[in-house]
């Protein structure tokens, strides 16, 4: 079964340079039969990056992608606290560069109005929008979105391709939070491989809204892939989750760029 | 293949806050068997919150005996905060003929400095019981608001183990927090092993074996709370040689618990 991974990083991977780390990621992906991997954010992370910082991180991803056009995709990392610089970065990395998506992390919550211009521009460029989300009983970071915030963003952008990162972390609440926004897909990656996450997401959202992602290097490919491989869902559903849905979401921008899926 | 598989970290009965797809024992056993598990060391999730531990352990022993497709080895719970816990320990060893016990210090409300803990592991060592101790059962960020339980702090363990001759200790769900120098130091003080259920990071098992002797690394899945396939795929994600695979899959567990002849 073909596997595309929605969610990978250069952080937490052995290697001194983006190229070395990318080669490592691909080597591990090969061991588990993962054909493609989306990569975002640089070798050193920051919660609230200034434009210079996110540009540097995106440069690292561009470097990492440069030898792996047939295996990897890049999402541009931006910060809604710096809207103009973020829009310019979208143009640089997506419109004029090879990237195919946008990564929004924890600088500003997804329900903030500043996020709108970024999502609008991403949608014009046919890029998918990946928004990190988590419901933490231990307390969210100040700018950290809940899946409810993602749902409110999605309600304002019915044409956008929005992915709710980590299925909200607390996935039992996350699937409920985004359920009514039928254009929101969920990312299975980044949490413990708690049995039931995939069955629950498929039951409540439908298999076509559920996407495998790992969140390597902080997580292992194995623990995250197990959420799909080990789930009691139909083989057709697994096919969609492991690759089909991501291919469908990326198809418009890959086609526009003349890239093959 | 690399011989049979022994899983040292499975649970019977129900997680308090969720049904797991495999929380009926025949289903769990069926999944284990399909993946080549010949023996699984099973605790009872009832042991987390029930006060009638004697009944919990009697049910566990009976449930394990009823299964034939996989050798389920019961590890009874002992809660040293309960009156006359010594009788539970005695029954585990003498009445149920269990080879070991399972401890949940954080759910039972004691830290590892507690004098009853020192007494318990001394008595267990005298009876030649393997002590399995779970540092955590779920991600602290995801807990039910009424069931928030901090992970066990392993810091006092080194002294406790050093003062308990003959103790054989297996730490369950330990590798989320216990890594690198503190782990290496702890394993140096006695017969302590760890299992890989909560080990994360890309190429995690390879990273672990760079730090610790392979003889201390056991296969554990934390099923049915986690998807069993997570631990299994971790053995594939890292490039391991035959010796390492055999050690982790069964030899190390068999050293701790030889088959009775
Ligand atoms: Zn991530």
């Amino acid at each position: 079964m073909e596997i595309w991974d929605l969610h990978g990083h250069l952080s937490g991977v052995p290697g001194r340079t983006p190229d070395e780390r990318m080669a490592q990621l691909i080597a591990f992906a090969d061991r588990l039969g993962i054909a493609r991997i989306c990569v975002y954010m640089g070798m050193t992370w920051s919660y609230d990056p200034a434009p210079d910082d996110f540009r540097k991180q995106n440069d690292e991803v561009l470097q990492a992608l440069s030898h792996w056009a047939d295996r990897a995709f890049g999402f541009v990392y931006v910060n809604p606290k710096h809207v103009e610089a973020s829009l310019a970065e979208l143009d640089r990395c997506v419109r004029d560069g090879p990237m195919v998506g946008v990564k929004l992390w924890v600088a500003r919550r997804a329900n903030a109005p500043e996020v709108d211009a970024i999502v609008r521009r991403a949608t014009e460029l046919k890029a998918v929008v990946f928004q990190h989300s988590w419901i933490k009983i231990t307390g969210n970071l100040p700018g950290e979105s809940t899946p409810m915030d993602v749902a409110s963003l999605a309600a304002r952008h019915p044409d956008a391709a929005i992915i709710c990162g980590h299925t909200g972390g607390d996935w039992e609440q996350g699937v409920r939070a985004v359920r009514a926004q039928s254009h929101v897909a969920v990312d299975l990656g980044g949490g413990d491989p708690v049995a039931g996450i995939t069955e629950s997401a498929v039951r409540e959202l439908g298999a076509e809204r559920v996407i495998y992602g790992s969140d390597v290097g902080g997580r292992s490919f194995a623990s995250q892939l197990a959420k799909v491989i080990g789930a009691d869902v139909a083989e057709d559903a697994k096919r969609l989750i492991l690759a089909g849905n991501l291919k469908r979401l990326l198809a418009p921008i890959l086609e526009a760029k003349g890239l093959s899926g | 293949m690399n011989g049979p598989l022994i899983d040292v970290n499975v649970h019977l009965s129900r997680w308090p806050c969720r049904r797991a797809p495999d929380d009926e024992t025949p289903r769990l056993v069926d999944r284990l068997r399909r993946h080549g598990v010949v023996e699984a060391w099973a605790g009872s999730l009832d042991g987390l919150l029930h006060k009638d531990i004697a009944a919990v352990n009697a049910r566990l022993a009976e449930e394990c005996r009823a299964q034939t497709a996989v050798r389920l080895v019961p590890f009874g719970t002992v809660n040293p905060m309960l009156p006359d816990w010594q009788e539970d320990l005695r029954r585990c060893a003498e009445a149920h003929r269990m080879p070991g016990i399972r401890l949940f210090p954080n759910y039972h409300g004691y830290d590892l400095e507690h004098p009853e803990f020192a007494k318990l592991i001394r008595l267990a060592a005298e009876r030649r019981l393997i002590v399995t101790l779970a540092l955590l059962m779920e991600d602290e960020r995801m807990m039910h608001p009424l069931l928030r339980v901090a992970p066990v702090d392993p810091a006092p363990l080194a002294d406790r183990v050093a003062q308990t001759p003959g103790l054989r200790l297996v730490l369950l769900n330990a590798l989320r927090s216990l890594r690198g120098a503190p782990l290496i130091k702890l394993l140096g003080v006695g017969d302590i092993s760890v299992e890989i259920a909560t080990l994360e990071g890309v190429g995690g098992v390879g990273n672990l074996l760079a730090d610790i002797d392979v003889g201390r690394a056991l296969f554990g899945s934390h099923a049915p709370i986690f998807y069993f396939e997570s631990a299994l795929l971790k053995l594939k994600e890292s490039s391991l040689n035959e010796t390492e695979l055999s050690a982790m899959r069964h030899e190390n567990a068999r050293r701790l618990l030889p088959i009775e002849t």
Side-chain angles (χ1 to χ4, degrees):
Chain A
M1 213 176 272
E2 192 173 15
I3 306 172
W4 286 26
D5 190 325
L6 166 68
H7 189 165
H9 305 293
L10 298 174
S11 165
V13 182
R16 291 159 304 172
T17 63
D19 295 284
E20 285 182 9
R21 292 187 183 196
M22 196 65 213
Q24 285 285 327
L25 270 187
I26 295 289
F28 286 117
D30 282 344
R31 296 187 59 82
L32 291 175
I34 295 162
R36 306 274 188 131
I37 177 163
C38 301
V39 178
Y40 25 101
M41 302 162 72
M43 303 208 299
T44 308
W45 290 2
S46 40
Y47 286 154
D48 186 9
D52 278 352
D53 186 353
F54 63 66
R55 283 192 288 263
K56 176 173 178 290
Q57 295 196 45
N58 292 324
D59 280 342
E60 290 172 355
V61 171
L62 289 167
Q63 180 59 38
L65 296 176
S66 60
H67 303 295
W68 298 101
D70 57 332
R71 297 295 301 275
F73 301 111
F75 287 16
V76 61
Y77 179 37
V78 296
N79 181 347
K81 284 188 181 165
H82 307 279
V83 174
E84 287 310 314
S86 292
L87 296 176
E89 189 66 350
L90 257 163
D91 285 348
R92 179 176 82 101
C93 296
V94 177
R95 187 193 65 194
D96 306 331
M99 294 198 187
V100 296
V102 177
K103 167 67 187 266
L104 293 163
W105 197 30
V106 295
R108 198 85 174 81
R109 285 168 61 177
N111 61 350
E114 297 92 314
V115 182
D116 286 332
I118 294 169
V119 172
R120 255 195 316 273
R121 186 79 188 111
T123 305
E124 284 165 18
L125 296 173
K126 305 185 187 343
V128 305
V129 176
F130 182 105
Q131 170 66 64
H132 165 96
S133 76
W134 210 289
I135 301 173
K136 294 175 178 164
I137 191 71
T138 47
N140 280 35
L141 295 163
E144 184 170 31
S145 301
T146 65
M148 293 75 86
D149 297 331
V150 179
S152 93
L153 175 72
R156 297 199 301 275
H157 298 274
D159 302 329
I162 293 175
I163 299 168
C164 178
H166 312 294
T167 313
D170 184 333
W171 46 270
E172 286 155 309
Q173 296 190 67
V175 293
R176 302 171 65 93
V178 301
R179 188 165 49 193
Q181 300 297 325
S182 58
H183 59 303
V184 173
V186 294
D187 152 50
L188 291 177
D192 282 343
V194 175
I197 178 175
T198 305
E199 291 88 338
S200 151
V202 168
R203 165 169 44 84
E204 294 301 327
L205 308 177
E208 57 290 333
R209 292 175 62 187
V210 183
I211 302 178
Y212 156 71
S214 62
D215 209 1
V216 289
R219 290 282 176 174
S220 72
F221 284 117
S223 65
Q224 307 301 306
L225 203 48
K227 293 175 180 174
V228 189
I229 307 281
D232 289 326
V233 298
E235 292 297 295
D236 283 354
K238 289 186 183 177
R239 242 182 284 282
L240 288 173
I241 297 166
L242 289 173
N245 293 330
L246 183 54
K247 284 182 167 184
R248 189 185 68 243
L249 284 184
L250 293 180
I253 193 164
L254 292 180
E255 204 169 297
K257 287 174 178 291
L259 297 168
S260 68
Chain B
M1 288 295 284
N2 310 91
L5 193 52
I6 299 177
D7 186 340
V8 304
N9 185 13
V10 308
H11 315 279
L12 307 189
S13 195
R14 303 280 158 78
W15 179 246
C17 305
R18 179 189 308 113
R19 290 301 304 267
D22 286 346
D23 65 11
E24 299 281 358
T25 307
R27 282 192 54 139
L28 176 65
V29 163
D30 186 54
R31 188 179 305 244
L32 295 174
R33 185 193 52 77
R34 277 189 280 120
H35 289 295
V37 175
V38 297
E39 176 176 312
W41 301 2
S44 173
L45 293 172
D46 294 348
L48 292 172
L49 300 178
H50 289 214
K51 286 177 274 194
D52 187 356
I53 290 293
V56 168
N57 290 338
R59 282 198 304 275
L60 174 68
E62 193 183 313
E63 185 93 350
C64 287
R65 261 197 311 275
Q67 301 302 321
T68 52
V70 170
R71 181 176 186 243
L72 286 187
V73 183
F75 276 62
T77 300
V78 179
N79 176 353
M81 298 296 101
L82 290 173
D84 197 24
W85 56 262
Q86 288 87 344
E87 175 61 10
D88 289 320
L89 187 74
R90 188 196 67 76
R91 290 186 197 179
C92 284
E94 295 177 15
H96 305 308
R97 303 224 154 270
M98 294 171 175
I101 56 171
R102 200 163 276 189
L103 306 182
F104 304 107
N106 48 351
Y107 286 85
H108 295 162
Y110 62 96
D111 62 37
L112 303 186
E113 307 266 23
H114 201 290
E116 292 297 295
F117 172 67
K119 206 181 295 177
L120 167 54
I121 57 176
R122 196 181 65 241
L123 289 176
E126 284 168 14
R127 288 181 175 278
R128 300 296 299 146
L129 291 167
I130 300 167
V131 175
T132 63
L133 188 160
L135 289 195
L136 57 83
M137 293 296 284
E138 67 169 338
D139 184 335
E140 215 181 344
R141 299 171 298 176
M142 320 271 293
M143 289 173 170
H144 190 284
L146 301 180
L147 197 55
R148 296 184 59 189
V149 183
V152 177
D153 176 7
L157 260 184
D159 285 349
R160 289 284 90 81
V161 173
Q163 291 156 10
T164 314
L167 178 68
R168 289 172 300 159
L169 179 64
V170 176
L171 297 178
L172 307 179
N173 303 335
L175 297 177
R176 158 81 37 81
S177 47
L178 189 57
R179 303 287 297 272
L183 174 64
I184 295 165
K185 188 162 166 255
L186 178 59
L187 296 193
V189 303
D191 189 349
I192 306 175
S193 303
V194 291
E195 55 75 46
I196 61 170
T198 55
L199 176 63
E200 280 293 349
V202 67
V205 176
N207 297 338
L208 177 70
L209 297 187
D211 280 350
I212 72 166
D213 185 302
V214 67
R216 306 300 188 91
L218 303 171
F219 179 86
S221 70
H222 195 34
I225 298 174
F226 281 5
Y227 288 109
F228 171 84
E229 289 80 355
S230 167
L232 193 62
L233 288 170
K234 285 175 190 172
L235 296 183
K236 193 172 171 194
E237 178 168 337
S238 290
S239 172
L240 307 173
N241 62 39
E242 295 289 313
T243 310
E244 291 166 333
L245 279 169
S246 301
M248 289 189 65
R249 287 177 61 98
H250 60 98
E251 286 170 6
N252 296 338
R254 190 53 76 225
R255 174 186 72 79
L256 287 167
L257 179 52
I259 288 184
E260 298 154 36
T261 48

